[in-house]
Amino acid sequence: MTTAITPLIAGNWKMNGTSVALAEVGRLAERLRAGAPPRATVLICPPATLLADLNRIAAPAGIVSGGQDCHPALSGAHTGDISAPMLADLGAQYVIVGHSERRADHGETSALVADKARAALASGLVPIICVGETEAERRAGQAVAVVTAQLAASIPEDWAGHSIVIAYEPVWAIGTGLTPTTQDIIDMHRAVRMTLEARFGARGAGVRILYGGSMKPANAREILAIEHVNGGLVGGASLLASDFYAIISAL
Ligand code: PEP
């Protein structure tokens, strides 16, 4: 891991959790307060319906919050959508854009993802831009080419330095219990870092690159120790305070 970069451990609750789930945030806050200060920024991205209440419990323990998606426009006639300024208004500091579930379920293209990231940046949010190959693409030996192409098209052309985060999430590893080999993660994160540095120079060297896909207490230490892995995007294992705390503590 690059030591100059503060790692980020981000929980993605997806479409899970009603107000009852906030008890887990309380448990996590208790553990964080009782233990040594975490070596990472700790982020939870709950359903937007829970953001305000979650912040009341999370913020005193130093946990920050984020949205799971935002519209590319800042406001307007888009029934059912949520804008980046609305997330910021609820206390969010980050927003996930381009998660593979949104790319698959809603046909989101990398160009749209770049527009969403631009809206996030304009609203003072840090976009977590997700990229990742499918199983077929990996089998065909195209994983690095697919991910670097997604990366090129998903970062706004006019990105000028306000923080962004990249999450490498192999689609076939999300929610499956499968993970790439350590060597595959090394190779991909190095390729992402090289792509960022080639395009953005020193700014690219400072971007946090998260690994996501079946990160669990049992594999977190090994994955988080890999060079250019600057934290994790955690789905299922972020729903239980004990599992999420174990991942945070693995750093
Ligand atoms: C995710 O949804 O971003 C994710 C990584 O999920 P999981 O940890 O459950 O594989």
Side-chain angles (χ1 to χ4, degrees), residues 10-14 45 68 96-103 128-135 137-138 143 146-148 150-151 165-176 178-180 184-185 188-189 192 209-215 223 229 231-238:
N12 172 16
W13 283 13
K14 313 191 186 197
C45 300
Q68 298 177 11
I96 299 168
V97 292
H99 191 283
S100 62
E101 287 155 12
R102 291 207 61 87
R103 289 181 190 255
I128 300 175
I129 300 171
C130 300
V131 292
E133 83 285 357
T134 62
E135 189 175 12
E137 289 163 343
R138 176 156 288 276
V146 165
V147 166
T148 52
Q150 282 181 346
L151 201 57
V165 175
I166 302 300
Y168 166 57
E169 298 206 300
V171 177
W172 51 272
I174 294 177
T176 59
L178 302 172
T179 51
D184 286 340
I185 299 176
M188 186 61 82
H189 279 248
V192 171
I209 308 171
L210 312 185
Y211 168 79
S214 296
M215 187 180 274
I223 294 173
V229 173
L233 182 52
V234 185
S238 71

CSV table of all heavy atoms in Angstrom, one decimal, residues 10-14 45 68 96-103 128-135 137-138 143 146-148 150-151 165-176 178-180 184-185 188-189 192 209-215 223 229 231-238:
chain,number,residue,atom,x,y,z
A,10,ALA,N,-14.7,1.8,2.8
A,10,ALA,CA,-16.0,2.3,2.4
A,10,ALA,C,-17.0,1.1,2.4
A,10,ALA,O,-16.8,0.1,1.8
A,10,ALA,CB,-16.0,2.9,1.0
A,11,GLY,N,-18.1,1.3,3.2
A,11,GLY,CA,-19.1,0.3,3.2
A,11,GLY,C,-20.2,0.7,2.2
A,11,GLY,O,-20.7,1.8,2.2
A,12,ASN,N,-20.7,-0.2,1.4
A,12,ASN,CA,-21.8,0.0,0.4
A,12,ASN,C,-22.9,-0.9,0.8
A,12,ASN,O,-22.9,-2.1,0.6
A,12,ASN,CB,-21.3,-0.3,-1.0
A,12,ASN,CG,-22.4,-0.3,-2.0
A,12,ASN,OD1,-23.5,0.3,-1.7
A,12,ASN,ND2,-22.2,-0.9,-3.2
A,13,TRP,N,-23.9,-0.3,1.4
A,13,TRP,CA,-25.1,-1.1,1.9
A,13,TRP,C,-26.0,-1.5,0.8
A,13,TRP,O,-26.9,-2.3,1.0
A,13,TRP,CB,-25.8,-0.3,3.0
A,13,TRP,CG,-25.2,-0.3,4.3
A,13,TRP,CD1,-23.9,-0.6,4.7
A,13,TRP,CD2,-25.8,0.1,5.6
A,13,TRP,NE1,-23.7,-0.4,6.0
A,13,TRP,CE2,-24.8,0.0,6.6
A,13,TRP,CE3,-27.0,0.6,5.9
A,13,TRP,CZ2,-25.1,0.3,7.9
A,13,TRP,CZ3,-27.3,0.9,7.3
A,13,TRP,CH2,-26.3,0.8,8.3
A,14,LYS,N,-25.8,-0.9,-0.4
A,14,LYS,CA,-26.7,-1.2,-1.5
A,14,LYS,C,-28.2,-1.0,-1.1
A,14,LYS,O,-28.4,-0.1,-0.2
A,14,LYS,CB,-26.5,-2.6,-2.0
A,14,LYS,CG,-25.1,-3.0,-2.2
A,14,LYS,CD,-24.9,-4.3,-2.9
A,14,LYS,CE,-23.4,-4.6,-2.9
A,14,LYS,NZ,-23.1,-5.6,-3.9
A,45,CYS,N,-21.9,4.1,3.0
A,45,CYS,CA,-22.8,4.6,2.0
A,45,CYS,C,-24.1,3.8,2.2
A,45,CYS,O,-24.3,2.7,1.6
A,45,CYS,CB,-22.3,4.4,0.6
A,45,CYS,SG,-20.7,5.3,0.3
A,68,GLN,N,-25.0,6.4,-2.9
A,68,GLN,CA,-24.6,5.2,-3.7
A,68,GLN,C,-24.7,5.6,-5.2
A,68,GLN,O,-24.4,4.8,-6.0
A,68,GLN,CB,-25.6,4.1,-3.4
A,68,GLN,CG,-25.4,3.6,-2.0
A,68,GLN,CD,-26.4,2.5,-1.7
A,68,GLN,OE1,-27.1,1.9,-2.6
A,68,GLN,NE2,-26.6,2.1,-0.4
A,96,ILE,N,-20.8,7.1,-4.5
A,96,ILE,CA,-20.3,6.0,-5.4
A,96,ILE,C,-21.0,6.3,-6.8
A,96,ILE,O,-22.2,6.6,-6.9
A,96,ILE,CB,-20.8,4.7,-4.9
A,96,ILE,CG1,-20.2,4.3,-3.6
A,96,ILE,CG2,-20.5,3.6,-6.0
A,96,ILE,CD1,-20.8,3.1,-2.9
A,97,VAL,N,-20.2,6.3,-7.8
A,97,VAL,CA,-20.8,6.4,-9.2
A,97,VAL,C,-20.2,5.3,-10.1
A,97,VAL,O,-19.1,4.8,-9.9
A,97,VAL,CB,-20.4,7.8,-9.9
A,97,VAL,CG1,-21.2,8.9,-9.2
A,97,VAL,CG2,-19.0,8.1,-9.9
A,98,GLY,N,-21.1,4.8,-11.0
A,98,GLY,CA,-20.6,3.7,-11.9
A,98,GLY,C,-20.5,2.4,-11.3
A,98,GLY,O,-19.7,1.5,-11.8
A,99,HIS,N,-21.1,2.1,-10.1
A,99,HIS,CA,-21.1,0.7,-9.6
A,99,HIS,C,-21.6,-0.3,-10.7
A,99,HIS,O,-22.5,0.1,-11.4
A,99,HIS,CB,-21.9,0.6,-8.4
A,99,HIS,CG,-21.7,-0.7,-7.6
A,99,HIS,ND1,-22.3,-1.8,-8.0
A,99,HIS,CD2,-21.0,-0.9,-6.5
A,99,HIS,CE1,-21.9,-2.8,-7.1
A,99,HIS,NE2,-21.1,-2.3,-6.2
A,100,SER,N,-21.0,-1.4,-10.7
A,100,SER,CA,-21.3,-2.4,-11.8
A,100,SER,C,-22.8,-2.7,-11.8
A,100,SER,O,-23.4,-3.1,-12.8
A,100,SER,CB,-20.4,-3.6,-11.8
A,100,SER,OG,-20.6,-4.3,-10.6
A,101,GLU,N,-23.4,-2.7,-10.6
A,101,GLU,CA,-24.8,-3.0,-10.5
A,101,GLU,C,-25.6,-2.0,-11.2
A,101,GLU,O,-26.7,-2.2,-11.9
A,101,GLU,CB,-25.3,-3.2,-9.1
A,101,GLU,CG,-24.7,-4.6,-8.5
A,101,GLU,CD,-24.6,-4.6,-7.0
A,101,GLU,OE1,-25.1,-3.7,-6.3
A,101,GLU,OE2,-23.9,-5.6,-6.6
A,102,ARG,N,-25.2,-0.7,-11.2
A,102,ARG,CA,-25.9,0.3,-11.9
A,102,ARG,C,-25.6,0.3,-13.4
A,102,ARG,O,-26.4,0.5,-14.2
A,102,ARG,CB,-25.6,1.7,-11.3
A,102,ARG,CG,-26.1,1.9,-9.9
A,102,ARG,CD,-26.4,3.3,-9.6
A,102,ARG,NE,-27.3,4.0,-10.5
A,102,ARG,CZ,-28.7,4.0,-10.3
A,102,ARG,NH1,-29.2,3.4,-9.3
A,102,ARG,NH2,-29.4,4.5,-11.2
A,103,ARG,N,-24.3,0.0,-13.7
A,103,ARG,CA,-24.0,-0.2,-15.1
A,103,ARG,C,-24.8,-1.3,-15.7
A,103,ARG,O,-25.3,-1.1,-16.9
A,103,ARG,CB,-22.5,-0.5,-15.3
A,103,ARG,CG,-21.6,0.7,-15.0
A,103,ARG,CD,-20.1,0.3,-15.2
A,103,ARG,NE,-19.1,1.3,-14.7
A,103,ARG,CZ,-18.4,2.1,-15.4
A,103,ARG,NH1,-18.6,2.2,-16.7
A,103,ARG,NH2,-17.6,3.0,-14.9
A,128,ILE,N,-16.6,8.3,-5.9
A,128,ILE,CA,-15.9,7.0,-5.9
A,128,ILE,C,-16.3,6.3,-7.2
A,128,ILE,O,-17.4,5.8,-7.4
A,128,ILE,CB,-16.3,6.1,-4.7
A,128,ILE,CG1,-16.0,6.8,-3.4
A,128,ILE,CG2,-15.6,4.7,-4.8
A,128,ILE,CD1,-16.4,6.1,-2.2
A,129,ILE,N,-15.4,6.4,-8.2
A,129,ILE,CA,-15.7,5.9,-9.6
A,129,ILE,C,-15.3,4.4,-9.7
A,129,ILE,O,-14.1,4.1,-9.5
A,129,ILE,CB,-14.9,6.8,-10.6
A,129,ILE,CG1,-15.2,8.3,-10.4
A,129,ILE,CG2,-15.1,6.3,-12.0
A,129,ILE,CD1,-14.3,9.2,-11.2
A,130,CYS,N,-16.3,3.6,-10.0
A,130,CYS,CA,-16.1,2.2,-10.0
A,130,CYS,C,-15.8,1.7,-11.4
A,130,CYS,O,-16.5,2.1,-12.4
A,130,CYS,CB,-17.4,1.4,-9.5
A,130,CYS,SG,-17.8,1.9,-7.8
A,131,VAL,N,-14.9,0.8,-11.5
A,131,VAL,CA,-14.5,0.1,-12.8
A,131,VAL,C,-14.3,-1.4,-12.5
A,131,VAL,O,-14.0,-1.8,-11.3
A,131,VAL,CB,-13.3,0.7,-13.4
A,131,VAL,CG1,-13.5,2.1,-13.9
A,131,VAL,CG2,-12.1,0.7,-12.4
A,132,GLY,N,-14.5,-2.2,-13.5
A,132,GLY,CA,-14.2,-3.6,-13.3
A,132,GLY,C,-14.7,-4.5,-14.4
A,132,GLY,O,-15.6,-4.1,-15.1
A,133,GLU,N,-14.0,-5.6,-14.6
A,133,GLU,CA,-14.3,-6.4,-15.8
A,133,GLU,C,-15.2,-7.6,-15.4
A,133,GLU,O,-15.3,-7.9,-14.2
A,133,GLU,CB,-12.9,-7.0,-16.3
A,133,GLU,CG,-12.4,-8.3,-15.6
A,133,GLU,CD,-11.8,-8.0,-14.2
A,133,GLU,OE1,-11.7,-6.8,-13.9
A,133,GLU,OE2,-11.4,-9.0,-13.5
A,134,THR,N,-15.9,-8.1,-16.4
A,134,THR,CA,-16.8,-9.3,-16.2
A,134,THR,C,-15.9,-10.5,-16.2
A,134,THR,O,-14.7,-10.5,-16.6
A,134,THR,CB,-17.8,-9.4,-17.3
A,134,THR,OG1,-17.1,-9.6,-18.6
A,134,THR,CG2,-18.7,-8.2,-17.4
A,135,GLU,N,-16.5,-11.6,-15.9
A,135,GLU,CA,-15.8,-12.9,-15.9
A,135,GLU,C,-15.3,-13.3,-17.3
A,135,GLU,O,-14.2,-13.7,-17.5
A,135,GLU,CB,-16.7,-14.0,-15.3
A,135,GLU,CG,-16.0,-15.3,-15.0
A,135,GLU,CD,-16.8,-16.3,-14.4
A,135,GLU,OE1,-18.1,-16.1,-14.3
A,135,GLU,OE2,-16.3,-17.3,-13.9
A,137,GLU,N,-14.7,-11.3,-19.8
A,137,GLU,CA,-13.6,-10.4,-20.2
A,137,GLU,C,-12.3,-10.8,-19.5
A,137,GLU,O,-11.2,-10.8,-20.2
A,137,GLU,CB,-14.0,-8.9,-19.8
A,137,GLU,CG,-15.0,-8.3,-20.7
A,137,GLU,CD,-15.7,-7.1,-20.1
A,137,GLU,OE1,-15.6,-6.8,-18.9
A,137,GLU,OE2,-16.4,-6.4,-20.9
A,138,ARG,N,-12.3,-11.3,-18.3
A,138,ARG,CA,-11.1,-11.7,-17.6
A,138,ARG,C,-10.6,-13.0,-18.4
A,138,ARG,O,-9.5,-13.2,-18.7
A,138,ARG,CB,-11.3,-12.0,-16.1
A,138,ARG,CG,-10.0,-12.6,-15.5
A,138,ARG,CD,-9.9,-12.3,-14.0
A,138,ARG,NE,-9.5,-10.9,-13.7
A,138,ARG,CZ,-8.3,-10.4,-13.7
A,138,ARG,NH1,-7.3,-11.2,-14.0
A,138,ARG,NH2,-8.1,-9.2,-13.3
A,143,ALA,N,-8.9,-8.2,-19.1
A,143,ALA,CA,-9.3,-7.4,-17.9
A,143,ALA,C,-8.6,-6.1,-17.8
A,143,ALA,O,-9.3,-5.1,-17.6
A,143,ALA,CB,-9.0,-8.3,-16.7
A,146,VAL,N,-10.0,-3.6,-20.5
A,146,VAL,CA,-11.4,-3.2,-20.2
A,146,VAL,C,-11.3,-2.1,-19.1
A,146,VAL,O,-12.0,-1.1,-19.2
A,146,VAL,CB,-12.2,-4.4,-19.8
A,146,VAL,CG1,-13.6,-3.9,-19.2
A,146,VAL,CG2,-12.5,-5.3,-21.1
A,147,VAL,N,-10.6,-2.4,-18.1
A,147,VAL,CA,-10.6,-1.5,-16.9
A,147,VAL,C,-10.0,-0.2,-17.2
A,147,VAL,O,-10.5,0.9,-16.9
A,147,VAL,CB,-9.9,-2.2,-15.7
A,147,VAL,CG1,-9.6,-1.2,-14.6
A,147,VAL,CG2,-10.9,-3.3,-15.2
A,148,THR,N,-8.9,-0.2,-17.9
A,148,THR,CA,-8.2,1.0,-18.3
A,148,THR,C,-9.0,1.9,-19.2
A,148,THR,O,-9.1,3.1,-19.2
A,148,THR,CB,-6.8,0.8,-18.8
A,148,THR,OG1,-6.8,-0.1,-19.9
A,148,THR,CG2,-5.8,0.3,-17.7
A,150,GLN,N,-12.4,1.8,-19.3
A,150,GLN,CA,-13.5,2.3,-18.4
A,150,GLN,C,-13.0,3.5,-17.7
A,150,GLN,O,-13.6,4.6,-17.5
A,150,GLN,CB,-14.0,1.3,-17.4
A,150,GLN,CG,-14.9,0.3,-18.0
A,150,GLN,CD,-15.4,-0.7,-16.9
A,150,GLN,OE1,-14.8,-0.8,-15.9
A,150,GLN,NE2,-16.4,-1.5,-17.3
A,151,LEU,N,-11.8,3.4,-17.1
A,151,LEU,CA,-11.1,4.5,-16.4
A,151,LEU,C,-11.0,5.7,-17.2
A,151,LEU,O,-11.3,6.8,-16.8
A,151,LEU,CB,-9.8,4.0,-15.9
A,151,LEU,CG,-9.1,4.6,-14.7
A,151,LEU,CD1,-9.9,4.5,-13.5
A,151,LEU,CD2,-7.7,3.9,-14.5
A,165,VAL,N,-11.8,9.2,-6.0
A,165,VAL,CA,-11.4,7.8,-5.6
A,165,VAL,C,-11.8,6.9,-6.7
A,165,VAL,O,-12.8,7.0,-7.4
A,165,VAL,CB,-12.1,7.4,-4.3
A,165,VAL,CG1,-11.8,6.0,-3.9
A,165,VAL,CG2,-11.8,8.4,-3.2
A,166,ILE,N,-10.9,5.9,-7.0
A,166,ILE,CA,-11.2,4.9,-8.0
A,166,ILE,C,-11.4,3.6,-7.2
A,166,ILE,O,-10.7,3.2,-6.3
A,166,ILE,CB,-10.0,4.6,-9.0
A,166,ILE,CG1,-9.7,6.0,-9.7
A,166,ILE,CG2,-10.4,3.5,-10.0
A,166,ILE,CD1,-10.8,6.6,-10.5
A,167,ALA,N,-12.5,2.8,-7.6
A,167,ALA,CA,-12.7,1.5,-7.0
A,167,ALA,C,-12.6,0.5,-8.1
A,167,ALA,O,-13.4,0.5,-9.0
A,167,ALA,CB,-14.0,1.4,-6.3
A,168,TYR,N,-11.6,-0.4,-7.9
A,168,TYR,CA,-11.5,-1.6,-8.9
A,168,TYR,C,-12.3,-2.7,-8.3
A,168,TYR,O,-12.0,-3.2,-7.2
A,168,TYR,CB,-10.1,-2.0,-9.1
A,168,TYR,CG,-10.0,-3.4,-9.8
A,168,TYR,CD1,-10.6,-3.6,-11.0
A,168,TYR,CD2,-9.4,-4.4,-9.1
A,168,TYR,CE1,-10.6,-4.8,-11.6
A,168,TYR,CE2,-9.4,-5.7,-9.7
A,168,TYR,CZ,-10.0,-5.9,-11.0
A,168,TYR,OH,-10.0,-7.1,-11.5
A,169,GLU,N,-13.4,-3.1,-9.0
A,169,GLU,CA,-14.3,-4.1,-8.5
A,169,GLU,C,-14.6,-5.1,-9.7
A,169,GLU,O,-15.5,-4.8,-10.5
A,169,GLU,CB,-15.6,-3.5,-8.1
A,169,GLU,CG,-15.5,-2.5,-6.9
A,169,GLU,CD,-16.8,-2.5,-6.2
A,169,GLU,OE1,-17.9,-2.1,-6.7
A,169,GLU,OE2,-16.8,-2.8,-5.0
A,170,PRO,N,-13.9,-6.2,-9.7
A,170,PRO,CA,-14.2,-7.2,-10.7
A,170,PRO,C,-15.6,-7.6,-10.5
A,170,PRO,O,-16.0,-8.0,-9.4
A,170,PRO,CB,-13.2,-8.4,-10.4
A,170,PRO,CG,-12.4,-8.0,-9.2
A,170,PRO,CD,-12.8,-6.6,-8.8
A,171,VAL,N,-16.4,-7.6,-11.6
A,171,VAL,CA,-17.9,-7.8,-11.5
A,171,VAL,C,-18.1,-9.2,-10.9
A,171,VAL,O,-19.0,-9.4,-10.1
A,171,VAL,CB,-18.5,-7.6,-12.9
A,171,VAL,CG1,-20.0,-7.9,-12.8
A,171,VAL,CG2,-18.3,-6.2,-13.4
A,172,TRP,N,-17.3,-10.2,-11.4
A,172,TRP,CA,-17.5,-11.6,-11.0
A,172,TRP,C,-17.2,-11.8,-9.5
A,172,TRP,O,-17.5,-12.9,-9.0
A,172,TRP,CB,-16.7,-12.5,-11.9
A,172,TRP,CG,-15.3,-12.1,-12.0
A,172,TRP,CD1,-14.7,-11.2,-12.9
A,172,TRP,CD2,-14.2,-12.5,-11.1
A,172,TRP,NE1,-13.4,-11.0,-12.6
A,172,TRP,CE2,-13.0,-11.8,-11.6
A,172,TRP,CE3,-14.1,-13.4,-10.1
A,172,TRP,CZ2,-11.8,-12.0,-11.0
A,172,TRP,CZ3,-12.9,-13.6,-9.5
A,172,TRP,CH2,-11.7,-12.9,-9.9
A,173,ALA,N,-16.5,-10.9,-8.9
A,173,ALA,CA,-16.2,-11.0,-7.4
A,173,ALA,C,-17.2,-10.4,-6.5
A,173,ALA,O,-17.1,-10.6,-5.3
A,173,ALA,CB,-14.8,-10.4,-7.2
A,174,ILE,N,-18.1,-9.6,-7.0
A,174,ILE,CA,-19.0,-8.9,-6.2
A,174,ILE,C,-20.1,-9.8,-5.7
A,174,ILE,O,-20.9,-10.4,-6.5
A,174,ILE,CB,-19.6,-7.7,-6.9
A,174,ILE,CG1,-18.5,-6.6,-7.2
A,174,ILE,CG2,-20.7,-7.0,-6.1
A,174,ILE,CD1,-19.0,-5.4,-8.0
A,175,GLY,N,-20.2,-10.0,-4.4
A,175,GLY,CA,-21.2,-10.8,-3.7
A,175,GLY,C,-21.1,-12.2,-4.0
A,175,GLY,O,-22.1,-13.0,-3.7
A,176,THR,N,-20.0,-12.7,-4.5
A,176,THR,CA,-19.9,-14.2,-4.9
A,176,THR,C,-19.0,-15.0,-4.0
A,176,THR,O,-19.0,-16.2,-4.0
A,176,THR,CB,-19.3,-14.3,-6.3
A,176,THR,OG1,-18.0,-13.7,-6.3
A,176,THR,CG2,-20.2,-13.6,-7.4
A,178,LEU,N,-15.9,-14.9,-4.4
A,178,LEU,CA,-14.7,-15.2,-5.2
A,178,LEU,C,-13.9,-13.9,-5.1
A,178,LEU,O,-14.4,-12.8,-5.1
A,178,LEU,CB,-15.1,-15.5,-6.6
A,178,LEU,CG,-16.0,-16.6,-6.9
A,178,LEU,CD1,-16.4,-16.7,-8.3
A,178,LEU,CD2,-15.3,-17.9,-6.5
A,179,THR,N,-12.6,-14.1,-5.2
A,179,THR,CA,-11.7,-12.9,-5.3
A,179,THR,C,-10.6,-13.2,-6.3
A,179,THR,O,-10.3,-14.4,-6.5
A,179,THR,CB,-11.0,-12.6,-3.9
A,179,THR,OG1,-10.4,-13.8,-3.4
A,179,THR,CG2,-12.0,-12.0,-2.9
A,180,PRO,N,-10.0,-12.2,-6.9
A,180,PRO,CA,-8.9,-12.5,-7.8
A,180,PRO,C,-7.7,-13.0,-7.0
A,180,PRO,O,-7.7,-12.8,-5.8
A,180,PRO,CB,-8.6,-11.1,-8.4
A,180,PRO,CG,-9.7,-10.2,-8.0
A,180,PRO,CD,-10.3,-10.8,-6.8
A,184,ASP,N,-3.2,-11.0,-9.5
A,184,ASP,CA,-4.1,-10.3,-10.4
A,184,ASP,C,-4.4,-8.9,-9.8
A,184,ASP,O,-4.6,-8.0,-10.5
A,184,ASP,CB,-5.4,-11.1,-10.6
A,184,ASP,CG,-5.2,-12.3,-11.5
A,184,ASP,OD1,-4.2,-12.3,-12.3
A,184,ASP,OD2,-6.0,-13.2,-11.4
A,185,ILE,N,-4.6,-8.9,-8.5
A,185,ILE,CA,-4.8,-7.5,-7.9
A,185,ILE,C,-3.6,-6.6,-8.0
A,185,ILE,O,-3.7,-5.5,-8.3
A,185,ILE,CB,-5.3,-7.7,-6.4
A,185,ILE,CG1,-6.5,-8.5,-6.3
A,185,ILE,CG2,-5.5,-6.3,-5.7
A,185,ILE,CD1,-7.0,-8.8,-4.8
A,188,MET,N,-3.5,-5.4,-11.6
A,188,MET,CA,-4.6,-4.5,-12.0
A,188,MET,C,-4.4,-3.1,-11.3
A,188,MET,O,-4.5,-2.1,-11.9
A,188,MET,CB,-6.0,-5.0,-11.6
A,188,MET,CG,-7.1,-4.2,-12.1
A,188,MET,SD,-7.1,-4.0,-13.9
A,188,MET,CE,-8.0,-5.5,-14.4
A,189,HIS,N,-4.0,-3.1,-10.0
A,189,HIS,CA,-3.9,-1.9,-9.3
A,189,HIS,C,-2.7,-1.1,-9.8
A,189,HIS,O,-2.7,0.1,-9.9
A,189,HIS,CB,-3.8,-2.1,-7.8
A,189,HIS,CG,-5.2,-2.2,-7.2
A,189,HIS,ND1,-5.7,-1.3,-6.3
A,189,HIS,CD2,-6.1,-3.2,-7.4
A,189,HIS,CE1,-6.9,-1.7,-6.0
A,189,HIS,NE2,-7.2,-2.9,-6.6
A,192,VAL,N,-3.9,0.5,-13.0
A,192,VAL,CA,-4.7,1.7,-12.7
A,192,VAL,C,-3.8,2.8,-12.3
A,192,VAL,O,-4.0,4.0,-12.8
A,192,VAL,CB,-5.8,1.3,-11.7
A,192,VAL,CG1,-6.5,2.6,-11.2
A,192,VAL,CG2,-6.8,0.3,-12.2
A,209,ILE,N,-6.9,4.2,-4.7
A,209,ILE,CA,-7.5,3.1,-5.5
A,209,ILE,C,-7.9,2.0,-4.5
A,209,ILE,O,-7.1,1.4,-3.8
A,209,ILE,CB,-6.4,2.5,-6.5
A,209,ILE,CG1,-5.7,3.7,-7.3
A,209,ILE,CG2,-7.0,1.5,-7.4
A,209,ILE,CD1,-4.5,3.2,-8.1
A,210,LEU,N,-9.3,1.8,-4.5
A,210,LEU,CA,-9.8,0.8,-3.6
A,210,LEU,C,-10.0,-0.5,-4.3
A,210,LEU,O,-10.2,-0.5,-5.5
A,210,LEU,CB,-11.2,1.2,-3.1
A,210,LEU,CG,-11.4,2.7,-2.5
A,210,LEU,CD1,-12.8,2.8,-2.0
A,210,LEU,CD2,-10.3,2.9,-1.5
A,211,TYR,N,-9.9,-1.6,-3.6
A,211,TYR,CA,-10.3,-2.9,-4.1
A,211,TYR,C,-11.7,-3.2,-3.6
A,211,TYR,O,-11.9,-3.0,-2.4
A,211,TYR,CB,-9.3,-4.0,-3.7
A,211,TYR,CG,-9.9,-5.4,-4.1
A,211,TYR,CD1,-9.9,-5.8,-5.4
A,211,TYR,CD2,-10.7,-6.1,-3.1
A,211,TYR,CE1,-10.6,-7.0,-5.7
A,211,TYR,CE2,-11.3,-7.2,-3.5
A,211,TYR,CZ,-11.3,-7.7,-4.8
A,211,TYR,OH,-12.0,-8.8,-5.2
A,212,GLY,N,-12.5,-3.8,-4.4
A,212,GLY,CA,-13.9,-4.2,-4.0
A,212,GLY,C,-14.2,-5.5,-4.6
A,212,GLY,O,-14.0,-5.7,-5.8
A,213,GLY,N,-14.9,-6.3,-3.9
A,213,GLY,CA,-15.4,-7.7,-4.4
A,213,GLY,C,-15.1,-8.7,-3.4
A,213,GLY,O,-13.9,-9.2,-3.3
A,214,SER,N,-16.1,-9.1,-2.5
A,214,SER,CA,-16.0,-10.1,-1.5
A,214,SER,C,-14.8,-9.9,-0.6
A,214,SER,O,-14.1,-10.9,-0.2
A,214,SER,CB,-15.9,-11.5,-2.2
A,214,SER,OG,-17.1,-11.8,-2.9
A,215,MET,N,-14.6,-8.6,-0.2
A,215,MET,CA,-13.6,-8.4,0.9
A,215,MET,C,-14.3,-8.8,2.2
A,215,MET,O,-15.4,-8.4,2.4
A,215,MET,CB,-13.1,-6.9,0.9
A,215,MET,CG,-12.0,-6.7,1.9
A,215,MET,SD,-11.4,-5.0,1.9
A,215,MET,CE,-10.3,-5.0,0.6
A,223,ILE,N,-5.2,-8.5,1.2
A,223,ILE,CA,-5.6,-7.6,0.1
A,223,ILE,C,-5.1,-6.2,0.4
A,223,ILE,O,-4.5,-5.5,-0.5
A,223,ILE,CB,-7.1,-7.6,-0.2
A,223,ILE,CG1,-7.5,-9.0,-0.7
A,223,ILE,CG2,-7.5,-6.6,-1.2
A,223,ILE,CD1,-9.0,-9.2,-0.9
A,229,VAL,N,-3.1,-0.7,-3.3
A,229,VAL,CA,-4.4,-0.9,-2.8
A,229,VAL,C,-4.6,0.1,-1.6
A,229,VAL,O,-3.9,-0.1,-0.6
A,229,VAL,CB,-4.7,-2.4,-2.3
A,229,VAL,CG1,-6.0,-2.5,-1.6
A,229,VAL,CG2,-4.6,-3.3,-3.5
A,231,GLY,N,-7.3,0.9,0.2
A,231,GLY,CA,-8.5,0.7,0.9
A,231,GLY,C,-9.4,-0.3,0.2
A,231,GLY,O,-9.1,-0.9,-0.8
A,232,GLY,N,-10.6,-0.3,0.7
A,232,GLY,CA,-11.6,-1.3,0.2
A,232,GLY,C,-13.0,-0.7,0.0
A,232,GLY,O,-13.4,0.2,0.8
A,233,LEU,N,-13.7,-1.2,-1.0
A,233,LEU,CA,-15.1,-0.9,-1.1
A,233,LEU,C,-15.8,-2.3,-0.7
A,233,LEU,O,-15.6,-3.3,-1.4
A,233,LEU,CB,-15.5,-0.5,-2.5
A,233,LEU,CG,-17.0,-0.1,-2.8
A,233,LEU,CD1,-17.5,0.9,-1.7
A,233,LEU,CD2,-17.1,0.5,-4.2
A,234,VAL,N,-16.6,-2.2,0.4
A,234,VAL,CA,-17.1,-3.5,1.0
A,234,VAL,C,-18.6,-3.5,0.9
A,234,VAL,O,-19.2,-2.6,1.4
A,234,VAL,CB,-16.6,-3.5,2.5
A,234,VAL,CG1,-17.0,-4.8,3.1
A,234,VAL,CG2,-15.1,-3.3,2.6
A,235,GLY,N,-19.2,-4.5,0.4
A,235,GLY,CA,-20.6,-4.7,0.3
A,235,GLY,C,-21.1,-5.4,1.5
A,235,GLY,O,-21.3,-4.9,2.6
A,236,GLY,N,-21.3,-6.7,1.3
A,236,GLY,CA,-22.0,-7.6,2.3
A,236,GLY,C,-21.4,-7.5,3.7
A,236,GLY,O,-22.1,-7.4,4.7
A,237,ALA,N,-20.0,-7.4,3.7
A,237,ALA,CA,-19.4,-7.4,5.0
A,237,ALA,C,-19.4,-6.1,5.7
A,237,ALA,O,-18.9,-6.0,6.9
A,237,ALA,CB,-17.9,-7.9,4.9
A,238,SER,N,-20.0,-5.1,5.1
A,238,SER,CA,-20.2,-3.8,5.8
A,238,SER,C,-21.5,-3.7,6.5
A,238,SER,O,-21.7,-2.7,7.3
A,238,SER,CB,-20.1,-2.6,4.8
A,238,SER,OG,-21.2,-2.6,4.0
